[in-house]
Every structure is written in C-alpha cells, then in structure tokens.
Amino acid sequence: MTYRAPLKDMLFVMNELADLNAVSQMPGYEEATPDTAQAVLEEAARFNEEVVAPLNRAGDLDPSSWKDGVVTTTPGFRDAFRQFGEGGWQGVLHPSDFGGQGLPKLVATPCIEMLNSANLSFALCPLLTDGAIEALLTAGTDEQKAVILPKLIAGEWTGTMNLTEPQAGSDLAAVRTRAEPQGDGTFKLFGTKIFITYGEHDMAKNIVHLVLARTPSAPEGVKGISLFVVPKFLVNPDGTTGARNDVHCVSIEHKLGIKASPTAVLQFGDHGGAIGTLVGEENRGLEYMFIMMNAARFAVGMQGIAVSERAYQHAVAYARDRVQSRPVDGSAREAVTIIHHPDVKRMLMTMRALIEGARAVAYVAAAASDAAHQHPDEATRRENQAFYEFMVPVVKGWSTELSIDVTSLGVQVHGGMGFIEETGAAQYYRDARILPIYEGTTAIQANDLVGRKTVRDGGAVARAICAKIAETEAALGQHGGAAFVAVQGQLKRGREALEAVVRFVVENAKGDPNAVFAGSVPYLKLCGIVFSGWQLGRAMLAADAKRGEDPSFYDAKIATAHFFGEHILSQATSLRDAIVAGAEPVKAMSVDQF
Amino acid sequence: MTYRAPLKDMLFVMNELADLNAVSQMPGYEEATPDTAQAVLEEAARFNEEVVAPLNRAGDLDPSSWKDGVVTTTPGFRDAFRQFGEGGWQGVLHPSDFGGQGLPKLVATPCIEMLNSANLSFALCPLLTDGAIEALLTAGTDEQKAVILPKLIAGEWTGTMNLTEPQAGSDLAAVRTRAEPQGDGTFKLFGTKIFITYGEHDMAKNIVHLVLARTPSAPEGVKGISLFVVPKFLVNPDGTTGARNDVHCVSIEHKLGIKASPTAVLQFGDHGGAIGTLVGEENRGLEYMFIMMNAARFAVGMQGIAVSERAYQHAVAYARDRVQSRPVDGSAREAVTIIHHPDVKRMLMTMRALIEGARAVAYVAAAASDAAHQHPDEATRRENQAFYEFMVPVVKGWSTELSIDVTSLGVQVHGGMGFIEETGAAQYYRDARILPIYEGTTAIQANDLVGRKTVRDGGAVARAICAKIAETEAALGQHGGAAFVAVQGQLKRGREALEAVVRFVVENAKGDPNAVFAGSVPYLKLCGIVFSGWQLGRAMLAADAKRGEDPSFYDAKIATAHFFGEHILSQATSLRDAIVAGAEPVKAMSVDQF
C-alpha cells in the first residue's frame, strides 16, 4: 500500500471553500495563483509519494536509536531530508528574504498534510523547525535572523522546542532551567528538558534548540520565563559552526508510536554550561513560545488529518481487495469484496466524512491566516485574525481527537489482519495516539478555546461564526433537495446547540469555572463537529453547482456531506447536554470517590 | 500500579441489580448464596491480584515466542496456570460431574472479569478452554466427555477453537479443511487454520483442538461443516496420552497487543493426516461451534469491561499522584494533583460510567442465563433465554467498542507519559484493540442482533425490554430528585429512540437490507447505551435506598448514573438519526466513489 496525495480533494477545498483566488489577489501572494498552487501541490505529491512515504513502515520497524549520546535515525531518513531541503520544502511558507518561497499558508497547508500522510515521524522534524523559524522571525535579533534563518529554511539545520521538564508538562510556570548571563551577551544554561522531538539526530549539520529558561533576576511563574537559542554546535557570525555546545542527549524514549521520531531527554550544562543567546526580551519567552506553539498546534492538527487520510486509503485498498461473504441484499451468489458490505461502507464513510470536514475547516482557517497577514484592509485583517485564532485550538484538538477514531476504524475494516503489525494499519493507530497530547493536550486546547477565545470577548467571535453558519443553512434550504434540507436541519440544530453552549460558557466562566471547564473538551468537540458540518454544507452546495463537470466526484461530495449531517453533526445536541447539564455530576463527585 | 478487584462494585451489581439472591434459590444453585459468592470473589481477587496481575507487563515485554514449532510462553505463565488449575478456577462454571464447581454464571462472571483485568493475554487460554468445554458438554460423545472434560476442567489440558482459514474469516461457508473417514471411527484432517489463540504453548500437557472441517460427502456452504476433536497428543481411553498428532504450529503472529497470548498458524495433516474424532453429528459443526462462540462472545465482552477497569484504575492512580497546574477555581495557589482538574474528572467519570453501565448489563444478562437454565418455571426459562440471547451481541459488541475509548482516555489522562511504553497505559490501549474484532467483529455481532435477535421475532423481545425500561423511567420520575428526573428524561428519549429504530429495522430488513445493515452497528451501540442507562438508572434507585449505609459509595453511584445520562445516554437520538436517516448517503455512495 502506497500513499496517493488526494490532490483533487485538496484543490476542491482550496478553490471552492477557502477561496484561493481571493488569497492570490492579496499583496505579496500574487504568484500563488490557482495554477501555480496546483503545480506546487503536484510536485509535493510526487516527492512525498515517492521519497517520503516508502520510509514510513521502515521507521516503525527500525526506529531511531541512541548510543553514547548519538542518535541514529532510520536508514533513508537522512537522504530524504537532504532532498526535502534541496527541494525547498522547508521554505514553502517562509519569507523569500531568508531563502523561502513565501507562499500563502493556504498553499503550504496541503504540502504539510502530504508530508505528514507520507510519514508522521519524518514530518515532525520540519514541523518543529517551522516553529523555530516562526519564533526567530518574530523576536530574533538581526544576527540570529541573518545567521540562523537561512540555514533552517534551507533544511541544512533543524530546530527544536524545549519546554517540558520532568515537573513541568502543561504547566510552564514550573519551568526550572536556569540561564546565567556571562556579561558578554551570552548566557550559560543549566537544566533538563524532556520530550524533545528530534532533540538529537543525524539528519542535519546543526540543531538549533529554542529553550525556555529563567534568568537569575526573573520573577516566579510564567512571567519569569525567557527564550534562548542554544545551538548544538556554536555558530560563528559567518554561519560556520564551531565547538560542540554543552547540550547532550542522555536518552530517547521507548514509545507507543512515531518511533522513528527521536524523543530526547536533553541535559543542558552538565559540563560547564550550555551557551545560548537571548531571543527578544528577557521574561517574554512564553509569548514568543506561543508563536511557535500556535504554528505548531495548527500543524499538529494537520497531522491528525494526514494520518487519518493515510489510514483511510489503506482501509479502502484492503476493502477493495478482500473477498468475504455474500452481499446482504442477495445481489450475488458468491462472496464479494468487503467494500460492498454496508457496514464496511459506513466505516469508510465515517472516516472520509471526518477527514473531509476537518480538512475543510483547517484550510479555511489557513486562508484566514493569510488574509490576517496580507489583506489590504485593516478591519478585514483583524476579523480574519480573530477567526483564525478561534480556529487554532479547534483544528488542533478536533483533528487530532478524530484521528484516534479514524485510525481505529482503519484497523477495524481490516478485521483480524488489522491487529497484525505486518498489515500496517496498526501503525497509524499507534502513531496517532500522541497527537491529542503533544503541543498541548486537548484539554489545554479547550482551556484556550474557553478562556482566550470565547470568554475574553464575551463570545463575540463565536456568535459571528454562528451567524455565518446560519447563512449556509439558508442556502441549503433554498436549494431544497432532500439531502440538502436534511443537512440544513442538522446544521441548524448543531448551530443552536453551539449558541446555547457559548451562552453557558460566557455566563458561567467566572462564577462557576468548575462547571465550565468540565465541559471544555465537549465544547471543543462541538465546535469541531459544527464547523465541519458547516464547511461540508458549503461543500455540497459548491459540488452541486459544479456537478456536471464530474458527476461521480461531486456526487460523492454531496453524499459525504449528507452522511456527516446524519451520523456526526447529529451528535451536537448530546454534546450540548453534556456541557450544560453534565457538569453537575462531575462537580458532585469528590476526588476521593474515584 | 497493581490491580485491585472492585469487589464492592461487583457485589453491588450482583445483589442489587442482578438479584443473586433469586438465582441462589433456583434448583442446583442452592450453594451460591450471597455469602458464598462473596467468599468466592474474595478468593478470586486474591489469586488474580497476587499471582496473575503482576505478569501482565512481563507478558508484553517478553511475549510468547516460536522456535521450530515450539511455543514458549512468558516466564511465570506456566506456573500461574498450574495454580489456576489447582485452585479450581477453570471449573467455576462447569458441572461437578466432571470436577467443576457448578456455580451460576452470575458468580463466574466477576471471576472472569477479574482474571481478564489481571491479564488479558493469560486469561485467553481459560477463555478458549471454556468454549471447548461447552461444546463437548453439548455435543461430545460419552467417551469424549468422560476422557477429555475432566482434564480440561482441572486445567491440566487446554482447548482451542479452529475456525478461521486464510480465505475464511467471518465467512465460515468458505472453510476448506478436509476430514477423511478412516473406517475405524476416526478421521484424518488436512488443512491450515490461522489466528488460533493458544494453538500451541507450554502451559499444559495436552491441547484439545476443536476444528471445523468438511467430510468428503459434505454439501457446500455452512451446512457441510462438521466439528472434530483433534488433540495435540493422541488420547487413550484411560485418559493417558500417546503419540504426537500431525498438527503443527508453523508460526505465531506479531501483533499490536495481547502479545503474551500466542496466535498460531496450525497446519493439520502435513505428515500423513491429523487424527480426529467427530463431535456430535456430521454437518452440524456450525451449530456446535455457535455454542462455543456464544459462551466466548459473552466472555470477550467481559474482556472489554475488564481491560477498561484496569485502565481506569491505572489512570486514577496517576491522576492522584501527578501534580500539575493550579485549580481553575483559584481554590489553591499551588499546583494540585491533576485529579482536581475538571477535565481529568470528566475523563475519569466517562471511563467509570461506561464500565459500570456495561458491567451491570453483563451481570444482569448472566443472571438471565442462569434463570434460563435453572428456573423451575418453563415460561420464565424461555423468557430469560430470549433476553440473554438478545444481550449476547450487545455485551460482546458494546463492551469491546467502549474499551477502545476507555483505554484511549486512560492514555490521555497520563498526558505525554501515556505515550511512553514504560508507563503501562499504552499496553491496555494496544491490547484492547483486538476485542471488537475476534470472536466475531462488531459488525458480525450487529448482524446477529438485527437478524436472529430482532427481525426473526418481529422485534418482540426488543419491545419487551423497552417496556421494562419504561418501568424504570417511572420509578425515577416517582423519586423526583433532580438527578433522578434528569436521568429519567434521558432514558425516556433513549428508549423512544430505540423503539423507533426497532420499528425501522423490523419494517425494512426484508425490503431494504442495505439500509438496515448500514445502521446495524449504530443499532448495537444504541442498545448498549440505552441498556447501560437503564441499569444505571436502576443502580441509582438502589443506591438511594441504601445510601445511609455508606453515603460516599452510594452517592458516587448516583453521580455516575447522572453523568452517564447527560454525557452518554444523550447520544441516543444521534444514533437514531444515523440509523433511520443516515442509510441514504451510504447507499448513494457507490464502491468506486471511495
């Protein structure tokens, strides 16, 4: 089974739902015409299908290994990463000033999806490097930018994010790593960081660690955290590398999945101090880290969609091949391929509907991010920024939560063969399980959605989104076809459920935070479901308009949206009950009663 | 982390919901008084906690291995199995005529749950042996019974079920293994069987394979399948063993989970023919196999509950221990253990509510099975048999599907640590994944629920169950407390959704089978949810009546039922929509459109 990039699906979403044409008319994105975007995607598809995807299984069987501080990646990874850099893929999204291609996020996003479908473990290295690039672009000194950014963007060096410590997982207030000023503008860092993705490896000449630490004068808590660049090899002003820095990988984790991606424990300063330079201003590290994290959170959401797509393709291929049992409607006397059985179709449609909904939400959010940066009108930029920020925790939380269900269905479609590792379906199920955890668990995303994204503005953005959803409902009603009206009804119930929940959240966040946060993850899921249903409602209208061009393709879009409405969007009222009425029993249960 | 049998929860269900007292008044079960049952459970708890549970992680790290046809199990398994046999645990449920204890299924079921919580891989060997015992009790010759049953019941030998062949998974019509009569009453068998659990191992002196095969005169399809006993070592009439039979393990599978349980490929007859004897009559093999399978299906349902319970205990222990972040309500200035955070409580309550609901459904079904066998009144026996048969696919399908969600939540509660194999949470997630697949996938269970259990009697049993549910609703309404009325409302909506679905299924099964079977798994889930909600509704009433005896324990039962109502039972209407309205888009999608 090999991966085939779903270019047609991607281009449909980009053109019909995310309005690539409008994005390509914004200043700076003039080159990103639909034709150019398609050419970029086709090239990305070729590279990921031919070079990256074949290494996925190898990475599981022969994962990264650690010996005496050195991490050796899966055979083939190093060469593939060289080709990745040479192909310019690390720079798709980044400014041409530093060697990037400067394409819109809407065009970069499907490229990122493909890379992750091809190989989740491999893709993590560029994903973290993207985060480091974002942070340096925002807050790096001119020298850091001039020297480091071209290397990262060229794929010659890679980046990491060093947040977590043994006592500080989600709670960054507990960070203890120390940074002592040396008087020459540099700092010496001392501490232990855990769960550092690609914290050590052999795919690049240097690794640029971005590290949260405290200076001696720092206040306690999150307001005393600064961000430092600590390269594996010290960097000369001309970009050449010098001595080995005092940061060492003391072990890597033995994990459930994404085994090819080394997860390092890094020890800073055990031999005199790891030399680092400050990024931006002292004590503003968390702010900069959030820039990295927001980029990374969106990208991890794409990982959820990507691994789901790969699992879906694997399951479809098996279902087309495996012959078992006669059809339930008696239409054949012999056994048929299992894709003919209604329950197998139902499972495949569930996978497909979840993926297509989440993809549409993510790409539309990416287009909003582009408009937030480059739209000529300031009010439009602001509006798009608010929309995008609302969407980030939803894209991250919802797309990763659904990847658990989709990859699990992928195993189920295979029957007993799914449980055998050789089949490959189990790897997606194992790999996906980290996605709702890293870069902020689903609960952390949900806290962000409740606190910063909903309560802070009194639910204004949420209500504005609901108003747009109501427009789609009206258009579906106007169409009048049975499937369209059915989706209209489910979307209306879903949107009303969401409005009720937004009211509940806004009204109770202050007075009864335990009630609101007991429903925060269901609220995030409700957003994921309703927004997906909204985008698929728009998709079915767009498909209907273009149906004549390719009836089989567009009819499938309509059937998928209809399926989503009845099977998934219909869950909205249950989530509303869980949030609005379901907090009482959570509060009633004391911690001793578990 | 060690396993603690939830005896108090188990006894609550046995006594308050499944009416153990009534079971112990049926002829043959007089010894199974509540006091005796409690003593048996306490002894089972001790054995499983101390002997079996500590081997669970070892089995994952050092699984069964194959070399030259010989399978070596995890160190410690062999000795634990000897103790299991000597303790009489294989015989709990089986007749005293052959050395068993003859206890009711209601008492055996919690023992089986404990064994599986302690160690899913280990428990599979007795689980399959139970199936073999059931088949021989039903259809074995006097000689087979006299010679083989005492050995199996004593735990000296073990049993297997040989159904699956490479081309025949769920579809037994495709079985090709041949059985040639030798003229002396024996047969020679030739063929390949795959996925044979404990098909070869070193824990017992002999292995009794029960094998589906075709005689030369057999008709095609499922009506031409016979059942044979093929022992690993030939058996003399006095029960001693003779020559090695021509059945050989050519490999074992490399699996996602339950790694300690060897999954064998067995080759019958490669060296002249494997000698077997017929069980019961020729061509009735499938019927006998169904007896084994029904027992095994119920037991696999218990596996789902068992692994979920273990994952829940693991997660609670971690949540009580891990300190991270301050409480959202500002009630403490320092970080607290994560069990104080509302979303962690929500996850733990979800796990707990699903487990308690499924356990109650299963134990109540077990009591019905006991009444079906031993109640003095024939009409009552028939009624209970019908109820039990309706419940078997639900117990199997629902309890195993939820185990995926519960073990996944177990990982999530651990955050990043959950993804590290050393933590142990990931093992339950991997182990559980086989449960909705083996002994008939969830789709196969759902087909059974639709066809044999609902359509065949025109929905009569389903409606009778709904009538009983309505009685519980009335009692909840009569109580009048807010939580009780809330559960009443959700239960009413759930029961009405189920009634609508039963009507849809009965009315359309013949005319539109593709529509009905596209909703068969959602129908099974709807049954699981509504029946669990029903039993938890009964549980909250029982808890309220006994509250004064132990307020903390019984209040937790009330809160758990209330939580189930708002968070899980509320999903019923969505499932109804998926079934009744959601079949159209499944049918609209042709197989080429995936």
Side-chain angles (χ1 to χ4, degrees):
Chain A
M1 170 63 200
T2 184
Y3 166 68
R4 285 278 159 249
L7 290 180
K8 208 166 162 180
D9 292 319
M10 289 171 158
L11 289 165
F12 172 76
V13 176
M14 292 165 76
N15 289 313
E16 303 302 324
L17 304 180
D19 204 350
L20 173 60
N21 197 45
V23 171
S24 71
Q25 281 160 25
M26 293 173 198
Y29 292 150
E30 294 87 350
E31 284 176 30
T33 62
D35 283 352
T36 305
Q38 179 163 350
V40 171
L41 263 61
E42 282 167 1
E43 192 56 25
R46 199 199 51 74
F47 174 71
N48 287 304
E49 289 170 0
E50 292 175 15
V51 177
V52 185
L55 295 170
N56 191 50
R57 183 97 184 95
D60 196 52
L61 293 170
D62 190 1
S64 284
S65 59
W66 179 96
K67 199 184 170 198
D68 301 333
V70 174
V71 171
T72 306
T73 54
T74 303
F77 268 42
R78 191 180 164 145
D79 184 56
F81 189 71
R82 184 186 51 73
Q83 293 183 57
F84 178 81
E86 288 172 3
W89 297 112
Q90 186 74 60
V92 173
L93 188 64
H94 302 299
S96 50
D97 305 359
F98 299 103
Q101 301 189 39
L103 287 166
K105 193 176 181 80
L106 178 55
V107 179
T109 296
C111 296
I112 286 171
E113 182 189 324
M114 289 184 224
L115 182 68
N116 279 287
S117 284
N119 197 323
L120 220 50
S121 286
F122 180 86
L124 275 165
C125 190
L127 190 157
L128 273 297
T129 302
D130 274 340
I133 293 167
E134 291 282 347
L136 290 178
L137 279 170
T138 309
T141 63
D142 288 344
E143 189 182 330
Q144 284 167 343
K145 286 185 192 172
V147 176
I148 298 173
L149 281 178
K151 298 287 187 184
L152 291 176
I153 288 173
E156 289 178 38
W157 300 354
T158 67
T160 69
M161 290 168 63
N162 289 247
L163 291 75
T164 306
E165 300 179 5
Q167 79 293 349
S170 302
D171 184 10
L172 296 174
V175 160
R176 282 191 207 140
T177 296
R178 291 180 293 126
E180 296 183 354
Q182 301 302 300
D184 62 352
T186 69
F187 291 75
K188 281 195 172 176
L189 278 82
F190 303 88
T192 305
K193 295 286 183 180
I194 63 169
F195 294 158
I196 309 308
T197 299
Y198 280 94
E200 177 56 39
H201 63 85
D202 58 0
M203 283 158 45
K205 289 181 205 130
N206 203 1
I207 303 174
V208 179
H209 302 294
L210 285 158
V211 186
L212 290 186
R214 292 180 187 284
T215 58
S217 62
E220 290 217 346
V222 293
K223 290 182 177 160
I225 296 175
S226 304
L227 181 64
F228 297 88
V229 163
V230 182
K232 175 178 170 184
F233 291 99
L234 295 176
V235 179
N236 302 316
D238 65 354
T240 58
T241 49
R244 182 74 165 80
N245 204 353
D246 184 13
V247 46
H248 296 281
C249 175
V250 296
S251 64
I252 62 174
E253 305 292 351
H254 173 221
K255 305 191 301 292
L256 172 61
I258 55 162
K259 296 187 182 188
S261 163
T263 304
V265 177
L266 292 185
Q267 201 68 38
F268 293 83
D270 267 11
H271 308 281
I275 294 170
T277 53
L278 186 66
V279 178
E281 293 172 30
E282 231 173 289
N283 298 332
R284 289 182 62 189
L286 205 69
E287 192 182 313
Y288 309 141
M289 194 55 96
F290 262 109
I291 294 161
M292 295 175 63
M293 283 204 293
N294 272 326
R297 284 174 175 185
F298 183 88
V300 172
M302 291 313 304
Q303 291 198 300
I305 296 165
V307 70
S308 297
E309 171 70 32
R310 183 90 188 249
Y312 170 71
Q313 292 190 17
H314 206 119
V316 169
Y318 185 80
R320 281 196 204 292
D321 183 60
R322 170 72 170 171
V323 174
Q324 190 83 171
S325 299
R326 287 178 296 180
V328 290
D329 62 5
S331 59
R333 290 198 52 224
E334 299 298 311
V336 292
T337 52
I338 62 171
I339 199 169
H340 288 86
H341 298 314
D343 188 63
V344 173
K345 282 177 77 181
R346 181 193 61 82
M347 289 194 278
L348 295 175
M349 285 199 83
T350 304
M351 298 170 81
R352 178 188 171 88
L354 287 167
I355 293 165
E356 293 200 358
R359 179 185 289 132
V361 170
Y363 287 18
V364 167
S369 170
D370 291 327
H373 283 99
Q374 300 298 96
H375 197 283
D377 176 55
E378 210 221 306
T380 307
R381 285 203 301 276
R382 262 207 317 271
E383 193 187 317
N384 277 283
Q385 181 65 25
F387 179 86
Y388 176 68
E389 287 186 3
F390 196 94
M391 289 294 156
V392 168
V394 178
V395 168
K396 200 289 182 180
W398 173 244
S399 310
T400 60
E401 288 284 338
L402 70 83
S403 76
I404 309 294
D405 296 332
V406 171
T407 56
S408 179
L409 284 170
V411 173
Q412 189 72 17
V413 168
H414 287 79
M417 290 306 295
F419 201 65
I420 308 299
E421 285 285 1
E422 281 84 342
T423 306
Q427 185 187 342
Y428 311 131
Y429 179 69
R430 289 188 286 99
D431 285 354
R433 195 63 198 76
I434 190 60
L435 304 180
I437 295 174
Y438 67 15
E439 298 303 335
T441 63
T442 307
I444 296 289
Q445 306 304 319
N447 287 357
D448 180 44
L449 183 68
V450 165
R452 271 179 292 263
K453 308 301 165 64
T454 306
V455 175
R456 187 181 281 177
D457 73 357
V461 169
R463 280 194 303 273
I465 296 170
C466 286
K468 286 191 190 171
I469 295 173
E471 291 172 21
T472 301
E473 288 165 31
L476 288 163
Q478 210 154 17
H479 180 288
F484 295 76
V485 171
V487 173
Q488 179 200 20
Q490 293 290 2
L491 189 54
K492 179 168 186 290
R493 278 191 289 283
R495 189 251 310 156
E496 287 171 352
L498 180 55
E499 287 170 343
V501 166
V502 169
R503 268 196 305 277
F504 174 81
V505 166
V506 170
E507 283 168 13
N508 293 286
K510 205 150 193 162
D512 195 355
N514 285 320
V516 168
F517 286 98
S520 60
V521 167
Y523 172 39
L524 183 149
K525 289 185 179 176
L526 178 60
C527 286
I529 284 175
V530 174
F531 299 164
S532 294
W534 170 33
Q535 295 305 332
L536 293 182
R538 295 182 62 219
M540 83 193 290
L541 290 164
D544 188 59
K546 298 182 76 87
R547 189 178 174 281
E549 292 174 25
D550 186 347
S552 172
F553 177 76
Y554 291 111
D555 282 348
K557 293 277 169 247
I558 293 169
T560 302
H562 188 189
F563 181 93
F564 190 94
E566 301 293 5
H567 285 253
I568 300 163
L569 194 44
S570 56
Q571 295 162 21
T573 51
S574 166
L575 288 163
R576 179 204 59 209
D577 289 356
I579 298 160
V580 173
E584 276 313 311
V586 178
K587 292 193 324 186
M589 191 90 164
S590 76
V591 299
D592 320 312
Q593 283 174 299
F594 285 94
Chain B
M1 171 62 200
T2 185
Y3 166 67
R4 286 276 159 250
L7 289 181
K8 208 165 161 182
D9 292 319
M10 290 170 157
L11 290 166
F12 172 75
V13 177
M14 292 165 76
N15 289 312
E16 303 302 324
L17 305 180
D19 204 350
L20 173 59
N21 198 46
V23 170
S24 71
Q25 280 160 27
M26 294 173 197
Y29 292 150
E30 295 86 350
E31 284 176 31
T33 61
D35 283 352
T36 305
Q38 179 163 349
V40 170
L41 263 61
E42 282 167 0
E43 190 58 24
R46 200 198 51 72
F47 174 71
N48 287 304
E49 290 171 0
E50 292 174 13
V51 178
V52 185
L55 294 170
N56 191 50
R57 183 97 185 96
D60 196 53
L61 293 171
D62 190 2
S64 285
S65 60
W66 179 96
K67 198 183 170 199
D68 300 334
V70 175
V71 171
T72 306
T73 54
T74 302
F77 268 43
R78 192 179 163 146
D79 184 55
F81 189 71
R82 184 187 49 73
Q83 292 184 56
F84 177 82
E86 288 173 3
W89 297 112
Q90 186 76 60
V92 172
L93 188 65
H94 302 300
S96 50
D97 305 1
F98 299 104
Q101 300 189 40
L103 287 165
K105 192 177 182 79
L106 178 55
V107 179
T109 296
C111 297
I112 287 170
E113 182 189 323
M114 290 183 224
L115 182 68
N116 279 287
S117 284
N119 197 324
L120 220 50
S121 285
F122 180 86
L124 274 165
C125 189
L127 190 158
L128 273 297
T129 302
D130 274 340
I133 292 167
E134 290 283 345
L136 291 177
L137 279 169
T138 309
T141 63
D142 288 345
E143 189 181 330
Q144 284 167 342
K145 287 185 191 170
V147 175
I148 298 173
L149 281 178
K151 299 286 189 186
L152 292 176
I153 288 173
E156 290 178 38
W157 300 355
T158 67
T160 70
M161 290 168 64
N162 289 247
L163 290 75
T164 307
E165 300 179 5
Q167 78 293 347
S170 300
D171 184 9
L172 296 174
V175 160
R176 281 189 207 143
T177 296
R178 290 179 296 126
E180 295 183 355
Q182 301 303 300
D184 62 351
T186 69
F187 291 76
K188 281 195 171 174
L189 278 81
F190 304 88
T192 305
K193 294 287 183 178
I194 63 169
F195 294 158
I196 308 308
T197 299
Y198 279 93
E200 177 57 38
H201 63 85
D202 58 0
M203 283 158 44
K205 289 181 205 130
N206 203 2
I207 302 174
V208 178
H209 302 294
L210 284 159
V211 186
L212 290 186
R214 292 180 187 284
T215 58
S217 61
E220 290 213 349
V222 292
K223 290 182 178 160
I225 296 175
S226 303
L227 182 64
F228 296 88
V229 163
V230 182
K232 175 178 171 185
F233 291 99
L234 296 176
V235 178
N236 300 316
D238 64 355
T240 58
T241 50
R244 182 74 165 81
N245 204 352
D246 184 13
V247 46
H248 296 281
C249 174
V250 295
S251 64
I252 62 173
E253 306 292 351
H254 173 221
K255 307 192 299 292
L256 172 61
I258 54 162
K259 296 186 181 189
S261 162
T263 304
V265 177
L266 292 185
Q267 202 68 37
F268 292 84
D270 266 12
H271 308 281
I275 294 170
T277 53
L278 187 66
V279 178
E281 293 173 31
E282 230 172 292
N283 298 333
R284 289 182 62 188
L286 206 69
E287 191 182 313
Y288 309 141
M289 195 54 98
F290 263 109
I291 293 162
M292 294 175 62
M293 283 204 294
N294 272 325
R297 284 174 175 185
F298 182 88
V300 172
M302 291 313 305
Q303 292 198 298
I305 296 164
V307 71
S308 297
E309 171 70 31
R310 183 89 188 248
Y312 170 72
Q313 293 190 15
H314 207 119
V316 169
Y318 184 79
R320 281 195 204 293
D321 183 58
R322 170 72 170 171
V323 174
Q324 189 83 171
S325 300
R326 288 177 295 179
V328 290
D329 61 6
S331 59
R333 290 198 53 222
E334 299 298 311
V336 292
T337 53
I338 63 171
I339 198 169
H340 288 86
H341 297 314
D343 188 63
V344 173
K345 282 177 77 180
R346 182 194 60 83
M347 289 194 278
L348 295 175
M349 284 199 82
T350 305
M351 298 170 82
R352 177 188 171 89
L354 287 167
I355 293 165
E356 292 199 359
R359 179 185 289 132
V361 170
Y363 287 18
V364 166
S369 170
D370 291 327
H373 283 99
Q374 299 299 97
H375 198 282
D377 175 55
E378 210 220 306
T380 307
R381 285 203 301 277
R382 263 206 317 269
E383 194 187 316
N384 277 283
Q385 181 65 25
F387 178 86
Y388 176 68
E389 287 186 4
F390 196 94
M391 289 294 156
V392 168
V394 178
V395 169
K396 200 290 182 181
W398 172 244
S399 310
T400 60
E401 288 284 339
L402 70 83
S403 75
I404 309 295
D405 297 331
V406 171
T407 56
S408 178
L409 283 170
V411 173
Q412 190 72 19
V413 169
H414 286 79
M417 291 305 297
F419 201 64
I420 308 299
E421 285 286 1
E422 281 83 343
T423 306
Q427 185 187 343
Y428 310 131
Y429 179 68
R430 290 188 285 101
D431 285 355
R433 196 62 198 77
I434 190 60
L435 304 180
I437 295 174
Y438 66 16
E439 297 304 334
T441 64
T442 307
I444 296 289
Q445 306 304 320
N447 286 356
D448 180 44
L449 183 68
V450 165
R452 270 180 293 264
K453 309 299 165 64
T454 304
V455 175
R456 188 182 280 174
D457 73 357
V461 170
R463 280 194 303 273
I465 295 170
C466 286
K468 286 192 191 170
I469 294 173
E471 291 172 20
T472 300
E473 290 164 32
L476 288 163
Q478 211 155 15
H479 180 288
F484 295 76
V485 171
V487 173
Q488 178 200 21
Q490 294 289 4
L491 189 55
K492 179 168 186 289
R493 279 191 288 283
R495 189 252 310 156
E496 287 171 352
L498 180 55
E499 286 171 344
V501 166
V502 169
R503 269 195 305 277
F504 174 80
V505 166
V506 170
E507 283 169 14
N508 293 287
K510 204 151 191 161
D512 196 355
N514 285 318
V516 168
F517 286 97
S520 58
V521 167
Y523 172 39
L524 184 148
K525 289 185 178 175
L526 178 61
C527 286
I529 283 174
V530 175
F531 299 165
S532 293
W534 170 34
Q535 294 305 332
L536 293 182
R538 295 182 63 218
M540 82 194 288
L541 290 165
D544 187 59
K546 297 181 76 85
R547 190 179 172 281
E549 291 175 25
D550 186 346
S552 171
F553 177 77
Y554 290 112
D555 282 348
K557 292 278 169 246
I558 293 169
T560 302
H562 188 190
F563 181 93
F564 190 95
E566 301 293 6
H567 285 254
I568 301 163
L569 194 46
S570 56
Q571 295 163 18
T573 52
S574 166
L575 289 163
R576 179 204 59 210
D577 289 356
I579 299 160
V580 173
E584 276 313 310
V586 178
K587 292 192 323 185
M589 191 90 166
S590 77
V591 298
D592 321 313
Q593 284 174 298
F594 285 95

